[in-house]
Amino acid sequence: MTKNIAPEDLYQLRSVSQVRFYANNIFFTENFIRKDSNSYLANLVSLDQDKNYRVWCQKGLNSSPRVLGDFLYYLHQEDGKKMQLYRMPIDGGSAQPFLLTDSEDTSVQELVVSNDAQALYVKTKKTQEQPKFKTEKFPEVRHVTKLNGRLDGYGWFENDAEFSLIKIDKLMQEETVLFTTKDDFELAAVAKAGTDIAYIRGRQPELDTDIDYTKAVYLYNEKTGKTQLITTDVAQGSFSAAAFSPDGKTLALVGNDNNYPGQTINDLWLYSLETKQLTNLTQQLLDVDVGYEAALTADFTQNLCSNSVVWLDNKQYIFTALHHGHSQLYMGNWDTVQLIRDEAEDITDFCVASPQKLLLTVSKQALPSELLLFDIETKIVTELYNPNHDFEQTHSYLKAQKFTYLSKDKTQELEGWYLPAANKPKHSPVLMYVHGGPHAAYGEAFFHEFQVLASWGYGIVYVNPRGSTTYGQKFCNDVDGHYGENDFSDVLAGLDYALEHFPELDKNHQYIAGGSYGGFMTTWAVGHTKRFKAAVAQRCVSDWISMHGTSDIGYWFDRQELQADLFSDDEARQKYWRMSPLAYAQNVITPIRLLHGEWDMRCPISQSEEFFTAVKLAGGETDMIRYPQSFHGVSRNGLPSLRIHRMYDIKEWFDKHQ
């Protein structure tokens, strides 16, 4: 008899990502967690044409495999040190650091091989400042001057950082610094060595009174040393990925016009380097979200990249998109775009293996991770590698059931999933779990925590209410200025549907949980309904007014999401308060536990502290658990020991209130 999934299985499960194909070898990273070091690690491995498995490097965190000439280059990080560039001979030999500089202040951030495989291009960052200070007897002070001066999951931005683009020649193995700048950028793609390099950065890097919403695409020409902005016609555009055609004449881009900052649906664009014309190819053809930015909400896969578009030849390209909670693959040219794969899965990365075959890394609700070969013509899929094959001989995953339901106002057909409790008891408590965002989506991806909670006897219901991504722009925008309205109604309607159609769910034992926006929805729910026996709000938003100035994104996110400027007038301030769960804390009779990371910069821990204090003062039942050294993503990429501790914290609270 196989076992169900337990919290500690995080230490056994593995995922694959960052797949690349070179000279009949498939390179990829195999990601896992070490219990003794409480850390995330990744081996660099390969499969040859006979599926022989080889480990190239297995110490520390290894990523970004790139082959240039006779060497395999990759990024290596160990023991919390800065990320560095390493290389090793393809025909055998040991790995050695390939230092671009002898400075301990420099880290390597990105690698791109030119289309003609003649040079490697490397982005570096140099700084003496640290994003988070360590505890010391004589600490330093931090001088903050930038409005946009921090980022959750990282810490405080450095005032002295320098970013460089460096070229490594294949033959001479010489390093050339192409440029150095104070403005951060993303190295996106390189045509033939010595020609054009595409990179992405904001158009207004010196903006000091607001955030620069733009992410524009620039071309740097190696021969002339000149830089050209190529997305001029999309003044406020936000682009995230780029790829040159093999001949270097066309650049495929993933991005949007940014009409709705932080939530605009991405399209596929083509830019002709000959005519200087930029064309949006999918805006009128498809109502899908191109690329990975609207990623499905999950908690398992690690070390992902954003390889959203690749070229098959000089005319045809492949790109990924998200639609109704799952991934799709499309093939196109200058005139048409056609769907070539549409399965219940999350495609986490892909690359070209041959003119008609793609390599895919995928995740599914009942399959954590797998490497596949997909034939574009025949649509035949070949399973190449499952990193959890041995684990799955003794363990089994619970399978979710997808359902559709009608919104209470009868205007929307909505989607949700039900993961039955293990052993399917006649009466199982039901847990409504709300995703973050709100511009995110549940979907066809493996969710370790859901598997654990269901193995503990809870039936899990999770839905995509209005405001979620992957259902089109209008659906995504519905929540703007209307938090706690249609979105709240959609959540409850999904729960009502599940209770009506899955008779084993116990109507007398309903629970609710969620993180970030899901934490907002949880605290909002307990202030507006008494139907839940208990609630767990994680890294919540409870007070939009204090969120505005204390979150790393609050000052612009609040304006967009609430459709009001806090400092414009009294009506705006009243709107902020009216949409804050804190305003209804005196109504809470549902026992609620609050979970929060102490380093959270996205929804600062004060959001939970405020709600905890208000419920306590009103005589409600509540407690709070604080996770040290934890950013907003504590449940996805936080310290592994705390991720596991957190799952037991949820179980303890719900078990207590049976």
Side-chain angles (χ1 to χ4, degrees), residues 90-109:
I90 288 290
D91 58 359
S94 61
Q96 299 292 332
F98 191 77
L99 298 179
L100 299 165
T101 173
D102 58 4
S103 171
E104 295 181 356
D105 301 329
T106 302
S107 61
V108 182
Q109 295 190 310

Side-chain angles (χ1 to χ4, degrees), residues 329-398:
L329 282 176
Y330 289 85
M331 183 169 66
N333 52 38
W334 273 99
D335 301 313
T336 61
V337 174
Q338 60 176 310
L339 180 65
I340 61 171
R341 184 166 176 82
D342 188 21
E343 301 294 330
E345 64 190 6
D346 182 16
I347 300 173
T348 56
D349 194 15
F350 70 104
C351 73
V352 176
S354 72
Q356 293 300 328
K357 293 183 179 181
L358 301 175
L359 292 166
L360 315 176
T361 60
V362 303
S363 174
K364 301 179 182 180
Q365 293 238 9
L367 185 69
S369 186
E370 192 171 32
L371 175 63
L372 305 175
L373 182 67
F374 172 62
D375 190 299
I376 297 172
E377 285 190 347
T378 66
K379 305 299 185 290
I380 294 175
V381 173
T382 304
E383 299 176 358
L384 297 180
Y385 181 64
N386 179 353
N388 302 300
H389 175 270
D390 292 344
F391 175 86
E392 289 163 3
Q393 305 310 301
T394 56
H395 295 74
S396 59
Y397 311 116
L398 299 168

Side-chain angles (χ1 to χ4, degrees), residues 433-638:
Y433 221 115
V434 186
H435 68 62
H439 310 299
Y442 285 131
E444 305 295 346
F446 184 75
F447 213 123
H448 172 257
E449 181 182 336
F450 285 2
Q451 292 283 329
V452 170
L453 292 169
S455 75
W456 282 336
Y458 290 88
I460 316 299
V461 176
Y462 44 112
V463 302
N464 286 331
R466 276 170 280 189
S468 302
T469 53
T470 80
Y471 297 91
Q473 191 67 66
K474 183 178 180 181
F475 190 93
C476 186
N477 292 354
D478 186 89
V479 73
D480 295 346
H482 298 283
Y483 272 59
E485 297 177 21
N486 287 336
D487 53 344
F488 180 47
S489 175
D490 292 349
V491 167
L492 296 187
L495 180 55
D496 289 339
Y497 178 94
L499 288 168
E500 180 180 351
H501 290 82
F502 306 111
E504 67 272 20
L505 293 177
D506 188 346
K507 296 181 179 180
N508 296 317
H509 289 81
Q510 301 179 44
Y511 302 88
I512 188 170
S516 194
Y517 165 78
F520 159 85
M521 185 58 70
T522 301
T523 52
W524 181 269
V526 296
H528 289 80
T529 179
K530 299 177 176 61
R531 68 185 291 171
F532 298 107
K533 286 186 70 66
V536 175
Q538 306 159 59
R539 54 199 184 278
C540 69
V541 176
S542 69
D543 181 0
W544 290 109
I545 296 174
S546 61
M547 174 83 169
H548 186 277
T550 58
S551 165
D552 64 340
I553 63 171
Y555 60 94
W556 66 265
F557 183 83
D558 288 11
R559 288 200 306 258
Q560 171 63 37
E561 296 300 309
L562 304 188
Q563 297 287 284
D565 184 344
L566 175 62
F567 297 109
S568 61
D569 52 41
D570 287 341
E571 183 177 345
R573 287 186 282 276
Q574 291 170 8
K575 185 176 186 179
Y576 273 58
W577 182 243
R578 188 171 64 252
M579 291 189 185
S580 296
L582 189 63
Y584 311 95
Q586 71 275 8
N587 301 333
V588 176
I589 64 169
T590 303
I592 182 168
R593 169 167 279 182
L594 298 134
L595 311 180
H596 222 117
E598 293 189 332
W599 284 0
D600 196 330
M601 290 183 164
R602 185 61 39 86
C603 300
I605 195 169
S606 57
Q607 293 292 312
S608 284
E609 290 171 335
E610 289 183 64
F611 200 79
F612 169 80
T613 300
V615 173
K616 273 286 189 184
L617 288 173
E621 183 182 353
T622 183
D623 72 2
M624 181 175 175
I625 296 178
R626 307 168 66 99
Y627 300 101
Q629 304 174 56
S630 299
F631 286 106
H632 193 63
V634 59
S635 67
R636 300 181 296 274
N637 50 33

Side-chain angles (χ1 to χ4, degrees), residues 379-443:
K379 305 299 185 290
I380 294 175
V381 173
T382 304
E383 299 176 358
L384 297 180
Y385 181 64
N386 179 353
N388 302 300
H389 175 270
D390 292 344
F391 175 86
E392 289 163 3
Q393 305 310 301
T394 56
H395 295 74
S396 59
Y397 311 116
L398 299 168
K399 293 179 172 56
Q401 303 174 43
K402 187 176 182 180
F403 62 88
T404 59
Y405 64 101
L406 195 63
S407 62
K408 289 186 178 181
D409 61 9
K410 312 299 183 185
T411 65
Q412 300 288 329
E413 185 175 73
L414 303 164
E415 293 184 339
W417 290 262
Y418 165 52
L419 186 64
N423 304 320
K424 295 185 178 179
K426 292 183 178 180
H427 300 286
S428 59
V430 55
L431 171 57
M432 166 56 72
Y433 221 115
V434 186
H435 68 62
H439 310 299
Y442 285 131

Side-chain angles (χ1 to χ4, degrees), residues 132-140 599 629:
K132 280 284 185 180
F133 288 153
K134 297 179 180 179
T135 301
E136 298 178 351
K137 289 185 178 180
F138 298 96
E140 299 180 22
W599 284 0
Q629 304 174 56

Side-chain angles (χ1 to χ4, degrees), residues 250-253 255 266-271 277-286 290 311 315 317 319 331-338:
T250 308
L251 189 64
L253 304 174
N266 278 341
D267 290 306
L268 192 284
W269 309 63
L270 291 183
Y271 176 78
Q277 180 180 0
L278 179 66
T279 304
N280 187 329
L281 286 184
T282 59
Q283 190 173 49
Q284 303 301 322
L285 299 175
L286 304 171
V290 177
W311 288 85
K315 295 183 179 180
Y317 52 83
F319 66 88
M331 183 169 66
N333 52 38
W334 273 99
D335 301 313
T336 61
V337 174
Q338 60 176 310

